[in-house]
Amino acid sequence: YDNVYTNEYYCNNCFSDAFWFCEDCSTHLQDDDMYRSQYDDEPRCRSCHNEHNASRSIIRNYSYKPSPIFYHAEGLEKHHQGNKETRLFFGFELEVERGEDCDWSCQDVAKAVRSFLEARGIGNLLYFKWDGSLSDGFEIISHPMSYAFFKQNRVLFEDLLKLLRNHNMTSYDAGSCGLHIHISRQAFTHSHFLKFQNFWNTKENTTLLVSLSQRQKSQMDNYCRLRDGARSKENLIKMAKLKGYADFDGRRMSALNCQNDHTIEVRIFRGTLNRQSFFKCFESVFAIFDFTKKMSFKSLKITRKSMSESATKVKDLIAQNGNLDGWIAPVSKELISRNYFYSYVKDLKK
């Protein structure tokens, strides 16, 4: 055998004593240059060792990105959600940390979550990744799902949060954890995307969005900065023409991140394992999505500077136009301010 280090030749026995073959790629290296996996104790070169560990670990590297699996509720989708190609699919990233009383490793907690899902027949719904922004935790990431599927499996998500709490994991109290919600770009028309963007980029909505986030506004600048009207009307229209594929300031850490290829990412929410807070985040995003889809351009402040009509008719207007089970018609022009978002949500709270 030819020694790659010195070009010396060895007999079979001497070579076997001095060198090892990598289990995966068959490269022969000296023992000191080999790595042994905790999963099977086989010798591997550094590259194969790293790849093997990543494939066996239930918590994957941050760069891991599997092919999406789309979950929907057959026969329960709403008519206004359109066909499968234009339906609103969404996913989430929930960051969690080990609490002070947590006796389990991150890997063991992730395995417990996977076993929980497998017992219910949907073991692939969630996957897990390391995140460098966390000190002793990981991300729980979902595959895309429809709103009907989410509602159909509400109890499952409640039990999942309970499982994490029972293992003394934390999210809200850690301070650094977030809950990010991704919405599929295909669910937007160009005009709807413009209105959706405008909702997140106007000063009048800052107080509402900060309240929904459960963060301090000063904290949001690091993870999910609100634009507060910084985007011009012209830039918003340019982005709408591309359905948001170009984020003009190049900031991923905006409240509404538009730099992903297939999704719009809502980043404002503080991580939580509390049932009510968890569902509040999703319902907020869905309500804003439906509200901006239903609003006509004349009803948006981007084209109307002042409000001249009385707000007393708002509740009746919403009642007449608020049914989202069928065709979505434009809301009457009196509904001209996003302040009426509160009335809209109250009337459709069920």
Side-chain angles (χ1 to χ4, degrees):
Y1 290 92
D2 183 10
N3 178 6
V4 296
Y5 295 101
T6 63
N7 290 324
E8 296 175 342
Y9 288 88
Y10 290 75
C11 69
N12 185 48
N13 290 336
C14 291
F15 185 86
S16 297
D17 290 340
F19 298 94
W20 291 87
F21 282 94
C22 173
E23 176 70 15
D24 294 339
C25 70
S26 298
T27 298
H28 56 277
L29 298 170
Q30 291 178 316
D31 186 61
D32 290 343
D33 294 322
M34 283 293 189
Y35 297 82
R36 294 186 178 275
S37 169
Q38 60 178 313
Y39 299 104
D40 60 11
D41 200 38
E42 296 292 345
R44 289 178 174 85
C45 66
R46 179 187 298 226
S47 176
C48 291
H49 172 77
N50 291 339
E51 184 176 345
H52 175 77
N53 279 353
S55 66
R56 293 294 299 273
S57 173
I58 192 169
I59 304 178
R60 311 302 290 268
N61 293 331
Y62 186 75
S63 60
Y64 176 70
K65 194 172 184 179
S67 297
I69 303 171
F70 291 86
Y71 290 86
H72 68 282
E74 197 69 41
L76 296 178
E77 305 295 342
K78 298 293 186 180
H79 294 298
H80 77 279
Q81 286 285 340
N83 55 33
K84 190 174 182 180
E85 286 69 35
T86 60
R87 184 174 298 149
L88 171 62
F89 282 98
F90 72 95
F92 65 84
E93 302 167 359
L94 174 61
E95 297 171 342
V96 296
E97 296 258 19
R98 294 177 66 245
E100 293 182 0
D101 298 325
C102 181
D103 296 327
W104 291 49
S105 69
C106 289
Q107 293 278 2
D108 288 338
V109 173
K111 289 176 182 177
V113 173
R114 175 64 57 80
S115 297
F116 164 82
L117 293 173
E118 287 175 345
R120 287 154 180 80
I122 48 174
N124 291 325
L125 177 63
L126 305 176
Y127 59 97
F128 317 96
K129 296 200 310 187
W130 298 112
D131 188 328
S133 67
L134 304 175
S135 59
D136 190 13
F138 60 97
E139 282 186 336
I140 301 173
I141 305 168
S142 79
H143 282 278
M145 67 190 82
S146 70
Y147 182 46
F149 177 88
F150 185 65
K151 290 185 68 176
Q152 184 185 48
N153 290 278
R154 182 184 178 95
V155 174
L156 179 142
F157 289 108
E158 292 178 355
D159 290 344
L160 170 64
L161 297 174
K162 184 177 180 180
L163 172 69
L164 293 167
R165 294 195 305 268
N166 288 344
H167 286 304
N168 292 314
M169 298 298 288
T170 184
S171 187
Y172 184 92
D173 292 337
S176 60
C177 295
L179 172 57
H180 305 161
I181 299 174
H182 289 254
I183 306 174
S184 56
R185 291 182 182 277
Q186 67 182 15
F188 291 91
T189 62
H190 296 285
S191 59
H192 183 195
F193 184 79
L194 173 59
K195 293 183 286 183
F196 190 75
Q197 275 277 358
N198 190 56
F199 190 99
W200 294 88
N201 286 285
T202 182
K203 290 181 180 180
E204 287 79 4
N205 290 339
T206 297
T207 300
L208 166 66
L209 295 174
V210 171
S211 178
L212 290 173
S213 75
Q214 294 186 267
R215 299 180 187 268
Q216 298 294 323
K217 190 173 186 300
S218 58
Q219 297 173 331
M220 298 177 71
D221 289 340
N222 295 324
Y223 306 104
C224 48
R225 182 166 64 91
L226 288 168
R227 304 295 310 195
D228 292 340
R231 294 194 191 279
S232 68
K233 174 182 174 181
E234 290 72 22
N235 274 357
L236 286 174
I237 292 174
K238 287 180 182 178
M239 292 182 71
K241 288 179 178 179
L242 298 171
K243 286 175 71 172
Y245 277 75
D247 195 339
F248 291 94
D249 65 0
R251 278 181 60 92
R252 187 177 69 87
M253 299 298 184
S254 297
L256 196 64
N257 170 29
C258 299
Q259 292 192 333
N260 299 314
D261 290 338
H262 303 292
T263 64
I264 312 298
E265 180 186 16
V266 178
R267 296 179 53 87
I268 66 170
F269 301 113
R270 186 166 175 169
T272 181
L273 300 182
N274 176 274
R275 177 181 64 84
Q276 288 182 317
S277 295
F278 181 80
F279 288 109
K280 174 266 300 177
C281 298
F282 295 94
E283 296 292 352
S284 300
V285 172
F286 300 145
I288 294 171
F289 179 90
D290 282 338
F291 179 69
T292 54
K293 184 173 185 176
K294 196 172 181 60
M295 294 287 279
S296 68
F297 274 108
K298 289 183 179 179
S299 303
L300 290 173
K301 218 169 187 178
I302 197 170
T303 56
R304 182 87 173 255
K305 291 185 178 180
S306 60
M307 179 176 65
S308 58
E309 300 291 335
S310 169
T312 57
K313 298 181 180 180
V314 169
K315 185 175 181 180
D316 292 337
L317 288 168
I318 292 173
Q320 293 170 12
N321 297 282
N323 182 10
L324 290 176
D325 288 340
W327 174 256
I328 298 180
V331 173
S332 301
K333 65 181 181 180
E334 286 87 348
L335 208 57
I336 59 178
S337 169
R338 284 158 308 281
N339 292 332
Y340 298 144
F341 178 67
Y342 298 104
S343 298
Y344 180 85
V345 170
K346 182 178 180 180
D347 197 70
L348 298 174
K349 63 183 179 181
K350 292 185 179 180

